[in-house]
Amino acid sequence: MTTQNAGKAEPAPAEGATIENLLREERTFPPPAGFASRALITDPAILEQASTEEGFRAFWDAEGKRLEWMEPYGELYTWDLPYAKWFIGGKLNVSVNCLDRHVDAGHGDRVAYHWEAEPGETRAITYRELLEETCRLANALRSLGVRKGDRVAIYMPMIPELPVAMLACARIGAAHSVVFGGFSSEALAGRIDDAQCVALITADGGYRKGAAVNLKANADEALRRSPSVKHSVVVRRTGQEVEWSEGRDHWYHELIADQPATAAPEPMDSEDLLYLLYTSGTTAKPKGIMHTTGGYLAGVAATHRYIFDIHDEDVYWCMADIGWVTGHSYIVYGPLANGTTGIIYEGAIDYPDKDRWAQIAAKYHATILYTAPTAIRALMKYGADAFARDDLSSLRLLGSVGEPINPEAWAWYWKYIGGERCPVVDTWWQTETGMIMITPLPGITTLKPGSATFPFPGVKADVVDESGTPVPLGGGGYLVLERPWPAMLRGIYGDPERYQETYWSRYPGRYFAGDGCKRDDEGYYWLLGRVDDVMNVSGHRISTTEVESALVSHPAVAEAAVVGRTDPVTGQAIFCYVILRSGNEPSDALSAELREHVAGAIGKLARPKQIMFTPDLPKTRSGKIMRRLLRDIAEQRSLGDVTTLADESVVEAIRGQSGKDED
Ligand code: WT7
């Protein structure tokens, strides 16, 4: 990896450190004394205690009891492989736990979110206001006929109405399916259709790098293909011109204007569906990951509390978009369940100034920052001088998520953003796990840069080889999880076979995460990235197959093979080999067109970094594309074993092409 430093003296390790040589990383960072003395978890014995079945049950029972139940649960959990159920028989409402509970406890005036718009306007929303607006929208949705058990699609920018929409769904027992605002109309339509959503909540637009994104137009396009949606609720954010479909479209502000500020919460079974969130797998079709009510809420609340060491006076800023699971679990549900004050920022962290993010952190006296390695590397490129004028002394804890963090980025984060006083929690988890699974506990864990350290209390992880045999400490293999956890996925919507096949068939009885992992001789976990055909671009999973499908849907393309190539900022970048149909000639213009075509089909986040036109692809004698070779070529590495290659000249032909990045 060639990440550049900030132009100041950098701590070790030397330039060129990569994920592969993490085991050479030898620096350790014990919890700073001032931090440890007031942390929520100070006794390392918790890890040992929660590792026994009895301790595990005691831990989660105590966390379950922190929630407000309409009817108490009986049994803690059942485990009928591959389906777990948690807090059996309990009834609760997530919005009550996130809102009413705090207002009833006298915290109605506490700020739930400081919202900062990209163009500069701000709003402080208290828990009382958030509750009232949630109730108004809940009533409005009910007035449109949305009922318990329905699915509602949400396609919105980072505005306060987004968590309101999620909470309003939760209040009436409708499952939401949030689709990241950067996805295309096609991607939105596919997700709406898969879940047969009955309503859509969207906005006219949102701001990103100074431009108004045209969300409503995308949504309209999607709805032309998704007849299940009867109503579309539109927040007026930018005021831009929009098309209007009478009867179907409703302005959010008009719809909620006359609604009462109270709404009876639907009593939900602990195992009722709270939401769907689509994520990429190894096929072109995204998977609708199912998360339910009681276990999910207990899981995200507990992990948020202990990993971010949440105290009442904290100002917590998770910089992710709510459209990803990080935002669901650690902007909305975990923090609100804990009554935390958070920050929501609408736009790009470096717009209009490179230090916009630091200005915001300083302005609200943020104490906790949670972001992704790709953002940290982007800030490293600007250098620490870019935010020297911003006072970040309020920070006391930093977090990282989304991909392996390279030790040099970790060390830079620690030194320049955290001022060498803030623990860095590198948190490993997935859309499917719902909650953080492998992570430091900042008051007790001695950190090693680049390691997510140890499983959260009660999480039983292991590293196994191909045959499923545990790999002793010091070795590497595949990460598996061996015991259910409360926030785990409950399946793939409408596709139980794929659920079984994807996660539970490779190692029967164990959850296969799809990530490589090494443990050092002290048992620290070092995550090594995906082992399947899934790329991780800026901390987001994109399937190689999905991009290939998008490419071959273009009339000029005969065949395509897509791989992820190491990228200094985004972690991986999308690299495409394309064979053209006869009659088409390679050109820069066509390359640009194909990149736009993919961005149009999936979303800008999937726009390829590079297209390489090739006359052929390396295949085995049985016709399978040898992706390993394509990855080697993309990485400009020497090639591994080529003995199974049907036609060796193909590789030379491809390597002979010069490839330049197209940005
Ligand atoms: C995949 C899950 C979890 C929220 C954001 C991404 C990678 C995530 C880490 C980390 C190394 C990580 C894994 C995982 N990943 N966090 N701290 N260290 N890798 O959610 O889109 O479901 O992606 O992201 O490869 O499987 P997601």
Side-chain angles (χ1 to χ4, degrees):
M1 207 163 277
T2 57
T3 307
Q4 292 301 303
N5 66 34
K8 289 189 179 176
E10 289 285 313
E15 204 188 316
T18 66
I19 300 307
E20 287 73 37
N21 67 17
L22 279 178
L23 293 180
R24 293 212 312 256
E25 177 58 54
E26 274 161 8
R27 284 166 301 165
T28 56
F29 296 78
F35 188 98
S37 62
R38 60 185 296 274
L40 292 178
I41 293 184
T42 51
D43 184 0
I46 189 163
L47 288 167
E48 195 58 43
Q49 282 159 9
S51 70
T52 66
E53 180 64 20
E54 203 191 349
F56 170 67
R57 285 175 177 272
F59 180 87
W60 283 113
D61 187 43
E63 294 307 317
K65 296 254 153 68
R66 286 177 174 281
L67 299 179
E68 188 174 306
W69 297 85
M70 294 163 161
E71 276 176 39
Y73 56 87
E75 222 178 321
L76 182 71
Y77 77 96
T78 59
W79 182 216
D80 187 4
L81 258 163
Y83 293 100
K85 290 183 177 157
W86 279 81
F87 305 113
I88 310 301
K91 300 249 185 305
L92 75 167
N93 185 284
V94 164
S95 77
V96 168
N97 276 278
C98 289
L99 302 170
D100 309 55
R101 197 159 56 117
H102 308 310
V103 175
D104 294 347
H107 304 308
D109 294 329
R110 185 185 290 174
V111 173
Y113 295 120
H114 292 286
W115 177 69
E116 171 116 355
E118 195 189 73
E121 66 266 41
T122 61
R123 246 177 98 180
I125 302 129
T126 64
Y127 273 91
R128 180 175 299 103
E129 290 165 339
L130 194 57
L131 170 61
E132 291 180 356
E133 184 140 337
T134 296
C135 287
R136 288 200 175 90
L137 182 60
N139 290 325
L141 291 173
R142 279 179 173 149
S143 78
L144 296 177
V146 181
R147 294 287 174 262
K148 178 176 177 178
D150 287 341
R151 275 86 48 221
V152 174
I154 298 178
Y155 183 61
M156 287 171 84
M158 285 282 280
I159 54 179
E161 290 82 357
L162 171 49
V164 168
M166 296 162 75
L167 292 160
C169 288
R171 196 156 193 95
I172 67 172
H176 56 70
S177 168
V178 180
V179 178
F180 171 60
F183 275 119
S184 67
S185 58
E186 214 172 311
L188 174 62
R191 286 158 172 78
I192 290 177
D193 218 49
D194 186 74
Q196 289 293 295
C197 296
V198 301
L200 169 71
I201 307 174
T202 185
D204 52 358
Y207 290 103
R208 189 86 196 167
K209 299 226 172 197
V213 181
N214 204 345
L215 277 179
K216 171 91 165 67
N218 280 351
D220 288 344
E221 177 63 33
L223 293 192
R224 274 191 271 281
R225 292 185 251 171
S226 306
S228 63
V229 170
K230 302 291 179 260
H231 295 282
S232 169
V233 179
V234 187
V235 176
R236 186 142 75 197
R237 165 73 191 111
T238 57
Q240 69 205 87
E241 237 0 270
V242 288
E243 275 181 34
W244 206 253
S245 164
E246 279 310 325
R248 185 197 71 189
D249 294 350
H250 314 269
W251 283 115
Y252 174 100
H253 59 276
E254 288 176 1
L255 205 60
I256 68 166
D258 298 326
Q259 294 293 347
T262 57
E266 199 69 48
M268 301 298 285
D269 188 272
S270 181
E271 281 302 321
D272 279 338
L273 190 63
L274 175 64
Y275 69 78
L276 297 176
L277 187 58
Y278 285 81
T279 189
S280 295
T282 52
T283 72
K285 190 176 188 286
K287 304 175 280 199
I289 301 301
M290 297 165 71
H291 282 295
T292 59
T293 301
Y296 175 78
L297 193 64
V300 297
T303 46
H304 178 254
R305 208 171 115 77
Y306 299 126
I307 296 164
F308 298 104
D309 190 48
I310 297 297
H311 291 71
D312 277 353
E313 58 287 3
D314 275 315
V315 178
Y316 162 88
W317 187 13
C318 169
M319 294 159 94
D321 192 288
I322 292 174
W324 308 110
V325 74
T326 306
H328 282 57
S329 297
Y330 298 111
I331 296 177
V332 181
Y333 293 118
L336 293 180
N338 289 329
T340 309
T341 294
I343 297 172
I344 294 181
Y345 171 54
E346 180 187 34
I349 60 168
D350 56 353
Y351 186 89
D353 304 316
K354 285 181 181 139
D355 65 335
R356 179 68 187 274
W357 67 276
Q359 294 171 23
I360 295 169
K363 174 173 169 185
Y364 297 105
H365 307 288
T367 57
I368 301 165
L369 216 59
Y370 189 31
T371 190
T374 185
I376 298 166
R377 289 190 296 262
L379 299 178
M380 279 173 82
K381 271 178 87 168
Y382 292 144
D385 289 343
F387 55 91
R389 61 177 174 169
D390 306 296
D391 177 7
L392 297 180
S393 60
S394 56
L395 290 173
R396 61 179 202 91
L397 180 68
L398 304 175
S400 171
V401 63
E403 53 172 315
I405 180 164
N406 37 320
E408 58 269 48
W410 192 105
W412 186 88
Y413 195 27
W414 156 271
K415 181 168 181 177
Y416 294 104
I417 297 184
E420 300 184 304
R421 66 179 184 278
C422 307
V424 175
V425 290
D426 173 7
T427 61
W428 179 90
W429 58 299
Q430 309 177 296
T431 305
E432 292 88 338
T433 68
M435 63 182 226
I436 296 168
M437 300 296 283
I438 301 182
T439 177
L441 292 171
I444 60 176
T445 309
T446 291
L447 307 171
K448 296 186 182 181
S451 168
T453 72
F454 302 105
F456 185 77
V459 169
K460 205 168 170 190
D462 208 347
V463 175
V464 300
D465 65 16
E466 284 292 344
S467 70
T469 310
V471 175
L473 295 190
Y478 304 104
L479 181 70
V480 294
L481 301 168
E482 302 198 331
R483 169 153 75 188
W485 61 99
M488 72 190 291
L489 76 168
R490 300 300 198 267
I492 297 174
Y493 193 71
D495 204 344
E497 292 82 28
R498 192 173 177 197
Y499 173 60
Q500 167 75 42
E501 170 63 29
T502 308
Y503 307 106
W504 303 98
S505 65
R506 184 147 171 174
Y507 302 113
R510 288 174 283 186
Y511 172 87
F512 174 62
D515 278 18
C517 186
K518 286 182 189 175
R519 274 178 309 200
D520 65 20
D521 44 23
E522 292 181 308
Y524 280 73
Y525 285 69
W526 301 79
L527 278 306
L528 305 173
R530 303 290 306 175
V531 296
D532 52 23
D533 285 332
V534 176
M535 300 171 287
N536 188 323
V537 181
S538 296
H540 303 304
R541 276 154 63 179
I542 299 172
S543 117
T544 51
T545 326
E546 205 174 352
V547 177
E548 285 164 4
S549 304
L551 283 167
V552 294
S553 73
H554 188 283
V557 176
E559 198 174 351
V562 171
V563 299
R565 186 187 66 180
T566 308
D567 184 273
V569 175
T570 59
Q572 284 193 309
I574 301 175
F575 190 103
C576 310
Y577 298 89
V578 169
I579 301 178
L580 292 174
R581 285 174 191 268
S582 58
N584 295 281
E585 286 305 317
S587 69
D588 286 351
L590 182 55
S591 169
E593 188 180 322
L594 292 178
R595 293 170 67 239
E596 278 323 301
H597 180 76
V598 175
I602 305 173
K604 285 186 186 139
L605 71 164
R607 181 190 279 120
K609 178 102 174 186
Q610 190 173 341
I611 304 266
M612 185 183 274
F613 295 107
T614 169
D616 210 343
L617 288 167
K619 292 185 181 158
T620 60
R621 272 164 264 254
S622 62
K624 250 181 120 185
I625 293 176
M626 292 181 72
R627 290 171 175 285
R628 179 178 55 77
L629 283 188
L630 292 175
R631 277 193 290 266
D632 288 344
I633 296 168
E635 302 278 9
Q636 307 191 325
R637 281 193 294 249
S638 59
L639 303 185
D641 185 9
V642 291
T643 46
T644 52
L645 195 58
D647 175 3
E648 280 184 46
S649 65
V650 172
V651 168
E652 284 321 309
I654 298 175
R655 288 178 107 187
Q657 319 241 353
S658 67
K660 68 171 187 336
D661 283 355
E662 303 152 67
D663 241 343

